[in-house]
């Protein structure tokens, strides 16, 4: 996994935690930190999290390929 994918994964996790807080406690952590949902900084964070989610769609298809590459050659039939 490359650096950009790790950053995207981190942003996606932050977004998931924020959505969990909204769902369970009606508390928007991003809005609380950056001055409300309508602030420029909050919108930037929301946008970055959304883009990161799209980037991470590629991870849905990677595990099979990575497992095939990681498998020792001696056990292949």
């Amino acid at each position: 996994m490359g650096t950009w994918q790790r950053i995207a994964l981190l942003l996606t996790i932050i977004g998931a935690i924020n959505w969990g807080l909204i769902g369970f406690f009606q508390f928007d952590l991003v809005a609380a930190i950056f001055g409300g949902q309508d602030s420029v900084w909050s919108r930037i964070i929301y946008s970055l999290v959304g883009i990161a989610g799209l980037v991470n769609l590629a991870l849905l298809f990677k595990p099979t390929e990575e497992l095939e590459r990681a498998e020792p050659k001696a056990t292949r039939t």
Side-chain angles (χ1 to χ4, degrees):
M1 183 181 321
T3 303
W4 287 111
Q5 280 187 322
R6 287 183 189 271
I7 292 169
L9 184 58
L10 177 66
L11 286 170
T12 304
I13 291 168
I14 290 169
I17 291 169
N18 194 53
W19 275 110
L21 289 171
I22 291 169
F24 289 119
F25 305 111
Q26 296 181 352
F27 178 71
D28 188 343
L29 182 62
V30 172
I33 292 173
F34 294 105
Q37 288 182 339
D38 294 331
S39 77
V40 173
W41 290 108
S42 291
R43 292 180 54 141
I44 290 171
I45 297 298
Y46 295 142
S47 299
L48 289 174
V49 168
I51 292 168
L54 294 174
V55 168
N56 282 326
L57 283 175
L59 292 177
L60 287 174
F61 304 103
K62 277 205 173 190
T64 323
E65 296 169 5
E66 289 178 3
L67 287 175
E68 288 175 1
R69 279 189 265 140
E71 185 180 327
K73 293 181 181 179
T75 61
R76 289 187 183 174
T77 57

